[in-house]
Amino acid sequence: MTLNAEPEEVQARFEELDVLEAEFENVELELIRKSNELNAPLWQERAELVAKIPHFWTLVFEQAPTEFDSFILPSDAQIFAECFETLEVTRFEIDDPKGSPRSVLIKFGFSDNEYFENKVLEKKFWFRKSKDWEGLVSEPVKIDWKKGKDPTEGLSDAAFDLFQARKKSAKSANGSSKSKDSELPEYKKLVSMIEESTEASPSFFAWFGFVSDYRWVSAEESEQTAKEDAERIARLKCGEKVEDDEDEDEDQTDYQETEVYPQGGEIATLIAEDLWPSAIKYFKSAHEQDGDDLSEIGVEDMDEDENESGDEIDIRGLVGKGRTSSPPNKKQRKA
Amino acid sequence: MTLNAEPEEVQARFEELDVLEAEFENVELELIRKSNELNAPLWQERAELVAKIPHFWTLVFEQAPTEFDSFILPSDAQIFAECFETLEVTRFEIDDPKGSPRSVLIKFGFSDNEYFENKVLEKKFWFRKSKDWEGLVSEPVKIDWKKGKDPTEGLSDAAFDLFQARKKSAKSANGSSKSKDSELPEYKKLVSMIEESTEASPSFFAWFGFVSDYRWVSAEESEQTAKEDAERIARLKCGEKVEDDEDEDEDQTDYQETEVYPQGGEIATLIAEDLWPSAIKYFKSAHEQDGDDLSEIGVEDMDEDENESGDEIDIRGLVGKGRTSSPPNKKQRKA
């Protein structure tokens, strides 16, 4: 390990890594497309099958790994146990040359319930790039809460309202709108609601109001960034010198001031990449446990509620026994 | 959600889920093969490129996510910083019909150092199945420690010795050997070493002695299990009734009594599925940080050591600047 590297050499290494990373990314996108193609018919089969299994998705959510579980408050679990019926994850830009195979739509189906009017809550996440960030951005989803039943205590409404106000303001005052953002009454309202919130973590339902881990990035900005990135890589491949614009002013705006669910992108990823592909595994592990554990997220409560209303549901009876008993240690995460 | 499910109906649903899960698994294996095929030339390119970048893999390990980082003790970090040169991950059973694309070989390359004689430490993990478990199993690797330099304090040697003794005893007394396992002096020695160990967590190098999260499963047993599983799925697909043998006696042996590194399978998975594919990303994030942070795992110490011995290495100089500065929030895990 002898090295007396000149700055130029170091720079060259970094450029080579950038080119290689772009090639890895292309392979990754191809694999997402391949995965989607091969799994799509199985997901369809699974949807038909689990439609016959009550509480399938509630039990999957219950058995989710801790990193996901910690986002579901007991009050959220109660709502899920009562009315959560279907989950669907789709890659809605999988073949869109201007979109990304990483973009994902997460669709929840609910039965009639005492909390909200919606039968379906659909949240779209677009994978987008800005000069200094890439990740999932989303528009807040309107939840029609029944009176006094909103576990987010107005957060999801306020997030939705701000997003609409921003759209309107951008339309009416194109260009100069950016500086006015924090002047919007909806902005001030949301910021003070977030500041005043005493809860350690908000209800899971506030996640429907999520916008971004960083800031909203439009389709146009993302396309432009992707184009510039591709051009830069193409020039590096040809051995051209490419100037970095790293000296640009850093953007100091605190975009997260109005984010109702800062870990929203992480949750979308956990649902799309873990709960969704591994749903059968999690469902089975719910059934391999003792019946007592099933009450953990309120399934038992729901059970009682439904018994009161005349239906006969016995979660314990449904549970049956797993095909095999678990070994002393937790099963190996598959390599 | 009206349901008055009979036990037979519930059983039928579970069998359908089993069939579907087997199909998902086949897709998953095909995707691992596809990923290997598409990425192999890029991994080759990367190896050639990073050979020119000193401390590449040490910096990757340093930037690994917390779940991995917690396994590297400060004393391990010191060793890595001083002599860790290359990492290679290969799927050595990718096209073996009797093996599994999930099996993985992890190969560490080291420069001359004061700790051990080995230039290469190669650990093989076979993905195997028993009736009640599936996961990675591995044979302990012999590390030729220099005198007084073993950070595992004899654990890695003891794990290696027990494995050899078991092989020998299985050969000499085929069949009856199983009951004698705990009578082996190497068994007793290892158990008492593990019991007496006062460290909260052992050195990372004890991981080279890892055998299994559950117990050792031989190639023969795994093949037999895979065959029986496949037959069961085939019969279920034909609509045949298949008896479950869930009433079999549960095996109460505490196989983990002699496991020197109970989370060894998890580490193998983290290296193979996270550090290895995302190495460039982690390396770059090391360089986007302030120079000060680089000392975290002892790189600075090593730096000083090497300066003493006359080489000129300036990690800070190497670091340069990342192409772009990080946004206020951590980058989105890609969906």
Side-chain angles (χ1 to χ4, degrees):
Chain A
M1 266 204 273
T2 51
L3 183 92
N4 296 289
E6 298 299 317
E8 297 78 45
E9 280 183 50
V10 173
Q11 188 56 36
R13 294 290 98 78
F14 270 86
E15 289 174 351
E16 286 174 288
L17 284 178
D18 283 348
V19 171
L20 196 51
E21 216 182 8
E23 285 168 15
F24 274 117
E25 173 67 1
N26 286 337
V27 164
E28 202 52 37
L29 297 181
E30 187 171 340
L31 289 169
I32 295 175
R33 286 193 198 95
K34 189 80 190 167
S35 166
N36 208 66
E37 176 198 323
L38 296 175
N39 280 306
L42 299 181
W43 287 328
Q44 183 57 37
E45 257 187 73
R46 186 180 66 182
E48 288 161 21
L49 181 52
V50 306
K52 298 179 236 159
I53 303 175
H55 311 303
F56 178 86
W57 288 106
T58 306
L59 290 166
V60 169
F61 268 45
E62 183 204 319
Q63 285 301 310
T66 334
E67 50 183 329
F68 180 79
D69 209 42
S70 60
F71 295 116
I72 311 281
L73 307 186
S75 49
D76 300 325
Q78 177 70 26
I79 300 176
F80 279 121
E82 285 183 40
C83 60
F84 180 25
E85 289 202 322
T86 57
L87 181 75
E88 204 182 321
V89 171
T90 41
R91 304 266 167 188
F92 62 97
E93 295 188 327
I94 194 100
D95 294 318
D96 179 352
K98 290 187 173 184
S100 167
R102 296 186 187 280
S103 295
V104 76
L105 169 73
I106 304 180
K107 192 170 161 183
F108 293 75
F110 299 96
S111 59
D112 278 337
N113 64 75
E114 56 179 302
Y115 304 97
F116 46 80
E117 303 290 350
N118 317 57
K119 285 284 184 304
V120 169
L121 291 175
E122 231 182 87
K123 194 155 174 69
K124 261 185 171 174
F125 294 85
W126 290 271
F127 188 82
R128 292 195 178 149
K129 294 170 178 225
S130 73
K131 272 200 188 308
D132 54 2
W133 179 85
E134 59 179 25
L136 297 172
V137 300
S138 183
E139 293 194 12
V141 171
K142 176 80 178 151
I143 306 180
D144 300 317
W145 295 108
K146 293 184 181 175
K147 208 169 150 39
K149 290 293 188 181
D150 173 6
T152 75
E153 294 174 341
L155 274 179
S156 75
D157 282 348
F160 181 80
D161 292 345
L162 173 58
F163 203 87
Q164 298 310 111
R166 279 173 166 163
K167 273 189 186 170
K168 215 172 142 188
S169 123
K171 244 186 210 162
S172 64
N174 228 327
S176 66
S177 63
K178 200 185 164 187
S179 57
K180 280 189 205 156
D181 189 45
S182 60
E183 297 300 317
L184 291 168
E186 290 85 355
Y187 187 102
K188 292 177 181 169
K189 185 181 171 196
L190 184 53
V191 169
S192 74
M193 281 181 79
I194 291 171
E195 279 173 4
E196 282 161 23
S197 168
T198 51
E199 307 290 335
S201 58
S203 157
F204 177 81
F205 287 88
W207 173 76
F208 287 99
F210 169 80
V211 173
S212 167
D213 287 346
Y214 174 41
R215 65 167 167 81
W216 172 257
V217 175
S218 71
E220 294 70 33
E221 178 181 353
S222 186
E223 245 179 79
Q224 184 60 29
T225 312
K227 208 179 129 208
E228 286 168 14
D229 281 356
E231 282 167 5
R232 178 172 175 274
I233 294 297
R235 289 173 60 195
L236 287 176
K237 272 188 178 171
C238 299
E240 280 182 48
K241 280 242 174 281
V242 177
E243 284 302 310
D244 257 347
D245 39 30
E246 58 182 326
D247 292 329
E248 254 181 39
D249 280 347
E250 246 185 83
D251 183 351
Q252 298 293 343
T253 318
D254 179 9
Y255 297 104
Q256 292 291 293
E257 204 179 27
T258 53
E259 178 49 62
V260 289
Y261 213 98
Q263 288 159 301
E266 190 185 330
I267 290 194
T269 303
L270 281 169
I271 293 178
E273 296 190 359
D274 187 0
L275 297 195
W276 174 250
S278 302
I280 296 180
K281 183 189 79 184
Y282 289 128
F283 173 75
K284 282 168 126 189
S285 72
H287 284 243
E288 277 165 15
Q289 297 198 355
D290 288 335
D292 277 21
D293 288 353
L294 285 170
S295 64
E296 206 184 296
I297 67 146
V299 170
E300 196 175 62
D301 305 34
M302 165 222 58
D303 199 7
E304 282 161 14
D305 288 347
E306 301 236 359
N307 278 340
E308 276 165 25
S309 66
D311 279 339
E312 273 216 295
I313 297 194
D314 179 9
I315 293 283
R316 306 269 161 78
L318 265 178
V319 168
K321 275 184 184 167
R323 181 165 70 86
T324 51
S325 55
S326 285
N329 287 279
K330 70 167 202 297
K331 295 206 177 189
Q332 164 68 28
R333 191 149 42 128
K334 286 180 179 179
Chain B
M1 265 204 273
T2 53
L3 183 93
N4 297 289
E6 298 299 318
E8 297 79 44
E9 281 183 49
V10 173
Q11 188 56 36
R13 293 290 98 80
F14 269 85
E15 288 172 351
E16 287 173 288
L17 285 177
D18 283 349
V19 171
L20 196 51
E21 216 182 7
E23 286 169 13
F24 274 116
E25 173 67 2
N26 286 337
V27 164
E28 202 51 38
L29 297 181
E30 188 172 339
L31 288 169
I32 295 176
R33 284 192 201 95
K34 188 80 190 166
S35 166
N36 208 67
E37 176 198 324
L38 295 176
N39 280 307
L42 299 182
W43 288 327
Q44 183 56 38
E45 258 187 74
R46 185 180 67 183
E48 288 161 22
L49 182 51
V50 306
K52 297 178 236 159
I53 303 175
H55 311 302
F56 179 86
W57 288 107
T58 305
L59 289 166
V60 169
F61 268 44
E62 183 204 318
Q63 284 301 310
T66 335
E67 49 184 332
F68 181 79
D69 209 43
S70 60
F71 296 116
I72 312 281
L73 306 186
S75 47
D76 300 325
Q78 177 70 29
I79 300 176
F80 279 121
E82 285 183 39
C83 60
F84 180 26
E85 291 204 320
T86 58
L87 181 75
E88 204 182 321
V89 171
T90 41
R91 305 264 169 191
F92 62 97
E93 296 188 326
I94 194 100
D95 294 318
D96 178 353
K98 290 187 175 185
S100 166
R102 295 187 187 281
S103 295
V104 75
L105 169 74
I106 303 179
K107 192 169 160 183
F108 292 76
F110 298 96
S111 58
D112 277 337
N113 64 77
E114 56 180 302
Y115 305 98
F116 45 81
E117 304 290 351
N118 316 60
K119 284 286 185 302
V120 169
L121 292 175
E122 231 184 87
K123 194 155 173 71
K124 261 184 170 176
F125 294 86
W126 291 268
F127 188 81
R128 293 196 178 149
K129 295 172 179 226
S130 73
K131 270 200 189 311
D132 53 3
W133 178 84
E134 59 179 26
L136 298 173
V137 300
S138 183
E139 293 193 13
V141 171
K142 177 79 178 151
I143 305 180
D144 300 317
W145 296 108
K146 292 186 181 174
K147 207 166 153 37
K149 289 293 187 181
D150 174 6
T152 75
E153 293 174 344
L155 274 179
S156 75
D157 282 347
F160 180 80
D161 292 343
L162 173 59
F163 204 87
Q164 299 308 112
R166 278 172 166 162
K167 273 190 186 168
K168 214 172 145 188
S169 123
K171 246 188 209 162
S172 64
N174 227 327
S176 65
S177 63
K178 200 185 165 185
S179 57
K180 280 190 207 154
D181 189 45
S182 60
E183 299 300 318
L184 292 167
E186 290 85 354
Y187 187 103
K188 292 177 181 169
K189 184 181 172 197
L190 183 52
V191 169
S192 74
M193 282 180 78
I194 292 172
E195 278 173 4
E196 282 162 24
S197 168
T198 52
E199 306 291 334
S201 58
S203 158
F204 177 80
F205 288 88
W207 172 76
F208 287 98
F210 170 78
V211 172
S212 167
D213 288 344
Y214 174 40
R215 65 166 166 81
W216 172 257
V217 175
S218 71
E220 295 68 33
E221 178 181 353
S222 187
E223 245 181 77
Q224 184 59 28
T225 312
K227 209 179 130 209
E228 285 168 16
D229 281 357
E231 281 167 6
R232 178 171 175 275
I233 295 296
R235 290 172 61 197
L236 286 176
K237 271 188 177 170
C238 299
E240 279 182 49
K241 280 242 173 281
V242 177
E243 285 301 311
D244 257 348
D245 40 28
E246 57 181 327
D247 292 329
E248 253 181 40
D249 282 347
E250 246 187 84
D251 183 350
Q252 298 293 344
T253 319
D254 179 10
Y255 296 105
Q256 291 292 292
E257 205 177 26
T258 53
E259 179 49 61
V260 289
Y261 212 97
Q263 289 160 300
E266 191 185 329
I267 289 193
T269 304
L270 281 168
I271 294 178
E273 296 190 357
D274 188 1
L275 296 195
W276 175 250
S278 302
I280 296 180
K281 184 188 79 184
Y282 290 128
F283 173 75
K284 281 168 129 188
S285 71
H287 284 243
E288 277 166 14
Q289 296 198 358
D290 288 335
D292 277 23
D293 288 352
L294 286 169
S295 64
E296 206 182 298
I297 66 150
V299 170
E300 196 175 62
D301 303 34
M302 166 221 58
D303 199 6
E304 283 161 12
D305 288 348
E306 301 236 0
N307 278 339
E308 277 164 25
S309 67
D311 280 338
E312 272 218 295
I313 297 194
D314 179 10
I315 292 284
R316 305 269 162 78
L318 263 178
V319 167
K321 275 184 184 169
R323 181 165 68 89
T324 52
S325 55
S326 285
N329 287 279
K330 70 170 202 293
K331 295 206 176 189
Q332 165 67 27
R333 190 150 40 133
K334 286 181 177 179

